[in-house]
Every structure is written in structure tokens, then in C-alpha cells.
């Protein structure tokens, strides 16, 4: 009978030990995360401001020859077919951008031929020249024509626009000042 | 006396596993962990009020006067449920919460999840689900990094 009591006691201890395990782990039939995080960054609209205008400087129109003058985004001026005159106000088209810190944005320049018109009525009347091959380069290290330009941590950037001027013969493009406008757009990516 | 002694011992030895088996079968344990924050990314304040929605699949869209800014970091919230294999559980989302920055605030509502309403834990006893919601911007909502929190609950039905 003594043996029986010992065996029963041992068995009870074992039962109690196992029964305690689930109660330590506890039983949960639901679980809640109370501090799930949500966030958003509100930024100002992107703003584009024009600076110095795109200018091809002085170009020499000739009686027979036609040619082109190209302004690079680095401000370089190169020519084909015709001679360059004085540099004068030769310049890239400069723009500044303001918007959300570190936002990326896309610059869109004209993809089609634009035209500039003679504004010196006495000499060239309403003659026009084509400007095409617009391209741009952003200040923040973006490659030429890169769609994804990036604003600084302070929310600013700038870019330069270059293009090619197609010059006709002296008959088509008599001496004078020619000017026109083109559209540039920036959008957040 | 030897006969009854043996019988008692056998009975107790049988009772222990039965008791344990009963315990483990009735233990309903479920745990929920947040694995990713809900992020609306950059949104642009305009004169018109509007809304930006991030769907559970992470896509972002806007309506009204709201414009989308940079999409870096945009994502749906992620949660992981761990519990009993093959168990069905319900997902309870908040009706709304507030994001704030300084003295400004915005409401987030229309919480949705995928799977929606309830999910089922696989053979491994776990499942991930995603949560999206809609952010409401006021007219010329002040700029800033807005943050807030909300509660999500899972439960066995």
C-alpha cells in the first residue's frame, strides 16, 4: 500500500507540472496591435521659375549656305554650315525649381520644332527660324535628359536648357533680332 | 493486494496523456505583429481639399485637389498573424485615425485589408495581411511630416 501512495503522488506532480505549462503561456483568442504607424509628408506644389533666357548669340546668315547653332546645357556654342558671330548674350535657358524636400521630378521640354520670329520689322519683317532638339540638364547630378531630377533636402534645384537653331539663307533669314517662346513643364514623379 | 495496485498505476498513467491532449487541443492562441508601416509618401497641398488612397496592394491614387508628390516609400501596412494551423480569424480595422504634425492634423479613414474581413492561417499557422487607407488633406494643408497610430485586432471567430 505504501508503494501505491508513492506512485499516485508522483503522478499528481506530473499532472500539475504539465497543467501549469499552458497557464504560463496563457490562452489568447485575440491579439491587438495598438500602435500601428501611419505617416504622410505634405509638401508644397512644385514651382518653376524662369531665369536667364535661352540665347544663341550672334549668327552670320549667308547668301547660299544654311546651318545650325547649338547651345549645350554647359553653355557651349557650336555651329555647322555657317559662321558664329559675337557671343553676345549667348546663354542656356535657366530655370529654378522649388518643391518638396528630396522629391524627384520630371522636366519636359518641347519635343517638336518651335519657331522664333523676327522682331525687327524694318529689316526682316516676319521671317522665322526653327529651334529644335531641346534638351536639359538638372543641377543635382542628373545625366543629360534624365527624367528623374531631384530636389535638394532644402527643396530646391535648377536646370539648364539647350537647343539647336536652324538658320536659313540670308534671303530666308535677313538681319535682325528673332525671338519666341517655348514651354517647359516640371511635375513630381 | 498486488492486483489493485497495478490497476491504479495504469489508470494514472493513462490519465496524464489524456489531460495533456485535452489542454493542447483547447488552447487558442493568436498573435498579431506589425511588419510594415502605412506610408502615403509625399502628397502635395493645393488650395482644394482632396484625398490620397493607398490600397492594400501598395498602389497610390488621388482624388479631389490632392496631387501626388514623390512616391518614394509609399507602401501599405503589413501585419503577421501567428496562431493555430488552419484556423479562421477575423480582422478588425479602425474606422479612422488622426495624423498630426505640429498643430496640424489630417484624418485617415476607409481602412481596408487584404484579405478583407477575415483570413485563414495556413498549415504553418501564420498569415500575412496588408492594410490600406485613405488620407484626407484640407485646403492648403500645412507642409510637414505627419504621423499617427491606429489599432488593428485579430481574433478567432
Amino acid at each position: 500500500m505504501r508503494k501505491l501512495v508513492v506512485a499516485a503522488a508522483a503522478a499528481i506532480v506530473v499532472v500539475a507540472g504539465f497543467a501549469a505549462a499552458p497557464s504560463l503561456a496563457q490562452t489568447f483568442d485575440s491579439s491587438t496591435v495598438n500602435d500601428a504607424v501611419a505617416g504622410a509628408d505634405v509638401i508644397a506644389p512644385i514651382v518653376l521659375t524662369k531665369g536667364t533666357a535661352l540665347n544663341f548669340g550672334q549668327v552670320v546668315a549667308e547668301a547660299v549656305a544654311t546651318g545650325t547653332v547649338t547651345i549645350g546645357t554647359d553653355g557651349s556654342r557650336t555651329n555647322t554650315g555657317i559662321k558664329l558671330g559675337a557671343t553676345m548674350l549667348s546663354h542656356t535657358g535657366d530655370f529654378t525649381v522649388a518643391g518638396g524636400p528630396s522629391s524627384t521630378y520630371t522636366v519636359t521640354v518641347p519635343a517638336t520644332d518651335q519657331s522664333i520670329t523676327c522682331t525687327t520689322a524694318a529689316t526682316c519683317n516676319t521671317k522665322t527660324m526653327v529651334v529644335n532638339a531641346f534638351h536639359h540638364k538638372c543641377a543635382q547630378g542628373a545625366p543629360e535628359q534624365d527624367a528623374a531630377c531631384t530636389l535638394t533636402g532644402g527643396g530646391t534645384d535648377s536646370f539648364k536648357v539647350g537647343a539647336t537653331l536652324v538658320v536659313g539663307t540670308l534671303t530666308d533669314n535677313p538681319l535682325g533680332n528673332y525671338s519666341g517662346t517655348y514651354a517647359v513643364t516640371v511635375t513630381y514623379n | 493486494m498486488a492486483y489493485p495496485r497495478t490497476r491504479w498505476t495504469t489508470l494514472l498513467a493513462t490519465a496524464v496523456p489524456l489531460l495533456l491532449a485535452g489542454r493542447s487541443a483547447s488552447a487558442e492562441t493568436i498573435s498579431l505583429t506589425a511588419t510594415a508601416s502605412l506610408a502615403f509618401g509625399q502628397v502635395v497641398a493645393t488650395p482644394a481639399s482632396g484625398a490620397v488612397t493607398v490600397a492594400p496592394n501598395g498602389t497610390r491614387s488621388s482624388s479631389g485637389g490632392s496631387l501626388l508628390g514623390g512616391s518614394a516609400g509609399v507602401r501599405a501596412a503589413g501585419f503577421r498573424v501567428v496562431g493555430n494551423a488552419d484556423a479562421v480569424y477575423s480582422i478588425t480595422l479602425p474606422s479612422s485615425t488622426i495624423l498630426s504634425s505640429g498643430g496640424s492634423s489630417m484624418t485617415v479613414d476607409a481602412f481596408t485589408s487584404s484579405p478583407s474581413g477575415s483570413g485563414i492561417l495556413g498549415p504553418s499557422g501564420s498569415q500575412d495581411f496588408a492594410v490600406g487607407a485613405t488620407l484626407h488633406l484640407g485646403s492648403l494643408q500645412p507642409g510637414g511630416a505627419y504621423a499617427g497610430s491606429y489599432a488593428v485586432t485579430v481574433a478567432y471567430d
Side-chain angles (χ1 to χ4, degrees):
Chain A
M1 199 57 198
R2 189 172 184 175
K3 269 186 180 173
L4 173 63
V5 170
V6 170
I12 288 164
V13 168
V14 168
V15 169
F18 277 96
S23 76
L24 278 174
Q26 295 193 318
T27 297
F28 295 108
D29 60 3
S30 74
S31 178
T32 299
V33 170
N34 281 308
D35 55 354
V37 174
D41 290 325
V42 175
I43 57 175
I46 192 164
V47 176
L48 177 64
T49 307
K50 66 180 178 184
T52 306
L54 176 62
N55 194 313
F56 293 92
Q58 221 172 47
V59 179
V60 181
E62 299 180 11
V64 179
T66 61
T68 65
V69 178
T70 297
I71 301 291
T73 55
D74 58 356
S76 64
R77 193 166 71 131
T78 55
N79 57 310
T80 63
I82 55 165
K83 293 191 174 74
L84 299 174
T87 303
M88 295 186 72
L89 298 175
S90 167
H91 207 278
T92 53
D94 291 357
F95 297 85
T96 56
V97 185
S102 305
S103 300
T104 60
Y105 68 98
T106 298
V107 177
T108 306
V109 294
T112 57
D113 287 356
Q114 307 292 301
S115 77
I116 57 175
T117 305
C118 177
T119 57
T120 313
T123 56
C124 57
N125 203 358
T126 56
K127 298 289 187 179
T128 62
M129 283 189 279
V130 164
V131 178
N132 58 24
F134 286 86
H135 50 289
H136 71 278
K137 187 175 189 306
C138 294
Q140 301 302 315
E144 190 100 0
Q145 297 291 76
D146 193 330
C149 292
T150 306
L151 294 163
T152 63
T156 61
D157 193 22
S158 63
F159 62 88
K160 294 178 181 297
V161 172
T164 296
L165 174 69
V166 180
V167 183
T169 62
L170 194 54
T171 305
D172 293 330
N173 295 126
L175 306 182
N177 291 318
Y178 292 73
S179 69
T181 60
Y182 62 101
V184 176
T185 304
V186 292
T187 54
Y188 283 124
N189 285 358
Chain B
M1 288 298 284
Y3 179 66
R5 230 181 265 172
T6 309
R7 207 172 173 187
W8 268 105
T9 311
T10 307
L11 191 65
L12 283 165
T14 311
V16 173
L18 276 176
L19 197 57
L20 287 171
R23 272 284 175 179
S24 66
S26 67
E28 290 196 334
T29 300
I30 189 166
S31 73
L32 177 66
T33 310
T35 56
S37 299
L38 176 61
F40 292 93
Q42 286 187 334
V43 294
V44 182
T46 69
S49 60
V52 173
T53 297
V54 172
N57 67 7
T59 59
R60 188 171 68 149
S61 58
S62 66
S63 62
S66 294
L67 300 171
L68 302 179
S71 60
V74 170
R75 65 187 174 191
F79 294 89
R80 174 159 294 172
V81 186
V82 176
N84 297 341
D86 302 320
V88 174
Y89 64 96
S90 64
I91 301 169
T92 304
L93 302 172
S95 57
S96 71
T97 189
I98 299 292
L99 304 190
S100 58
S101 170
S104 303
S105 64
M106 295 185 284
T107 298
V108 175
D109 60 12
F111 283 86
T112 55
S113 67
S114 177
S116 176
S118 65
I120 182 162
L121 300 174
S124 65
S126 76
Q127 185 176 47
D128 292 340
F129 67 87
V131 170
T134 297
L135 171 72
H136 296 274
L137 281 84
S139 168
L140 295 176
Q141 184 74 40
Y146 288 71
S149 64
Y150 59 99
V152 174
T153 297
V154 292
Y156 289 127
D157 293 329

